[in-house]
């Protein structure tokens, strides 16, 4: 069991949420080196933030020592016609996903919630973008635990229109089209053959609720759970009208605007 105090680590990871930040690994005395360390850092981040947890990112575990789970803070969750995010490598970096929104609380408890109980707590499903930012130098050599502690590139979440719940639950694959309008010349069109990294997008929600609930985390009405990109990171330009289409599910228009520092 780690005996490190991760308050300083949490403070440093939060301070790195600035456009253009590329940092080295933390000093060994402060560096998280295990899954437990990373989750402890997340709890320190939650304590230090002025806002609350607005949602979570997750996937089914890749291995016993490789899980994907991280809080998304409420001041970084947005919707509407404009999406504000920090520039990374001179572009906006997004991941097209589906979000599952809770419409009731799921208090922490020792026994598992059934899939039916969790389904009943999911009030709506939405097209969404996880907003991404690489905060480590390419030569930093950060290992999995430290990347997890830094919330696995997350800088926020954009929530688009609601989609049919039954269709969302069946959305193992989605063809996604991202069109950006050019002032002069032809529009830029990216046609993406999307495939969810897990068999179905809702499966990580079941895992997340039970994994974190047993650790003392209560989930709140209004929290958004996003479960993985259909096409990894997609790079798009700022300041261009953008249409995003999930074939058979819906579409929306948004424009990306840069900010210098996270809320």
């Amino acid at each position: 069991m780690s005996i490190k105090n991760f308050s300083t680590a949490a403070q440093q990871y939060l301070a790195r949420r600035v456009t253009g930040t590329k940092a080295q690994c933390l000093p060994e005395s402060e560096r998280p080196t295990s899954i437990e360390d990373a989750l402890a850092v997340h709890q320190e981040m939650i304590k230090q933030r002025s806002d609350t947890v607005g949602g979570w990112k997750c996937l089914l575990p890749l291995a016993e020592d490789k899980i994907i789970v991280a809080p998304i803070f409420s001041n970084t969750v947005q919707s509407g016609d404009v999406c504000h995010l920090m520039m990374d490598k001179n572009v906006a970096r997004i991941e097209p996903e589906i979000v599952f929104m809770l419409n009731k609380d799921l208090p922490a408890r020792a026994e598992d919630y059934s899939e039916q109980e969790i389904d009943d707590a999911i009030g709506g499903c939405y097209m969404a973008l996880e907003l991404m930012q690489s905060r480590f130098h390419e030569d930093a050599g950060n290992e999995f635990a430290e990347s997890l502690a830094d919330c696995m590139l997350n800088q926020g979440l954009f929530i688009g229109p609601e989609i049919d719940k039954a269709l969302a639950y069946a959305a193992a694959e989605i063809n996604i089209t991202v069109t950006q309008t050019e002032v002069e010349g032809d529009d830029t069109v990216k046609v993406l053959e999307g495939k969810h990294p897990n068999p179905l997008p809702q499966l990580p929600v079941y895992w997340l609720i039970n994994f974190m609930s047993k650790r003392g985390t209560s989930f709140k009405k209004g929290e958004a759970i996003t479960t993985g990109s259909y096409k990894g990171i997609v790079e798009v330009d700022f300041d261009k009208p953008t249409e995003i289409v999930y074939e058979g599910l819906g579409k929306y228009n948004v424009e990306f605007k840069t900010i210098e520092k996270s809320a």
Side-chain angles (χ1 to χ4, degrees):
M1 181 69 68
S2 172
I3 59 172
K4 295 178 182 177
N5 181 340
F6 289 115
S7 177
T8 300
Q11 183 179 32
Q12 293 193 54
Y13 291 140
L14 289 175
R16 293 178 178 185
R17 295 186 173 211
V18 179
T19 288
T21 295
K22 302 291 179 185
Q24 298 292 340
C25 295
L26 293 185
E28 189 173 349
S29 61
E30 301 168 0
R31 187 184 312 158
T33 57
S34 68
I35 296 296
E36 288 298 323
D37 287 353
L39 298 181
V41 171
H42 293 168
Q43 292 305 308
E44 288 293 332
M45 285 180 168
I46 292 169
K47 291 177 185 177
Q48 292 180 26
R49 292 278 302 195
S50 60
D51 55 350
T52 59
V53 173
W56 297 85
K57 64 175 292 179
C58 62
L59 278 175
L60 292 178
L62 306 174
E64 186 175 342
D65 60 345
K66 284 191 177 181
I67 66 170
I68 304 291
V69 55
I72 299 174
F73 301 106
S74 59
N75 283 354
T76 70
V77 179
Q78 54 191 301
S79 60
D81 298 330
V82 177
C83 175
H84 295 90
L85 70 164
M86 288 173 281
M87 183 180 293
D88 185 11
K89 299 182 179 179
N90 297 314
V91 294
R93 305 178 78 201
I94 59 174
E95 290 192 344
E97 307 191 3
I98 288 178
V99 151
F100 301 86
M101 189 80 70
L102 298 181
N103 69 353
K104 63 177 68 174
D105 293 348
L106 292 174
R109 69 186 199 189
E111 66 272 19
D112 279 347
Y113 282 96
S114 68
E115 291 186 3
Q116 187 61 56
E117 287 176 303
I118 296 172
D119 287 339
D120 289 344
I122 295 173
C125 305
Y126 299 79
M127 291 182 283
L129 303 172
E130 187 178 358
L131 311 179
M132 312 304 285
Q133 178 196 23
S134 175
R135 294 177 283 266
F136 287 100
H137 275 298
E138 291 185 4
D139 63 353
N142 47 299
E143 296 184 350
F144 184 86
E146 189 167 13
S147 296
L148 178 62
D150 189 44
C151 297
M152 284 290 180
L153 306 178
N154 178 269
Q155 65 160 299
L157 183 67
F158 178 86
I159 301 177
E162 187 171 4
I163 56 180
D164 181 83
K165 188 173 182 179
L167 293 179
Y169 271 47
E173 298 182 4
I174 307 172
N175 290 326
I176 298 170
T177 304
V178 180
T179 303
Q180 293 203 287
T181 301
E182 303 289 343
V183 176
E184 296 181 1
D186 296 332
D187 293 346
T188 299
V189 181
K190 295 183 178 181
V191 179
L192 312 172
E193 295 182 0
K195 182 176 181 180
H196 197 275
N198 295 142
L200 290 169
Q202 69 274 21
L203 298 183
V205 180
Y206 305 146
W207 171 82
L208 171 77
I209 296 295
N210 286 317
F211 177 77
M212 293 300 292
S213 176
K214 291 174 184 175
R215 299 179 63 88
T217 294
S218 293
F219 293 86
K220 303 294 185 181
K221 178 181 178 180
E223 289 183 359
I225 301 172
T226 192
T227 65
S229 175
Y230 280 88
K231 199 61 179 181
I233 292 177
V234 179
E235 297 184 348
V236 294
D237 293 330
F238 287 96
D239 303 316
K240 292 180 180 178
T242 305
E243 181 186 67
I244 298 177
V245 178
Y246 286 22
E247 184 179 336
L249 295 180
K251 63 181 180 180
Y252 60 97
N253 294 288
V254 65
E255 189 165 335
F256 300 100
K257 297 289 185 180
T258 187
I259 56 174
E260 293 303 313
K261 188 174 182 179
S262 68

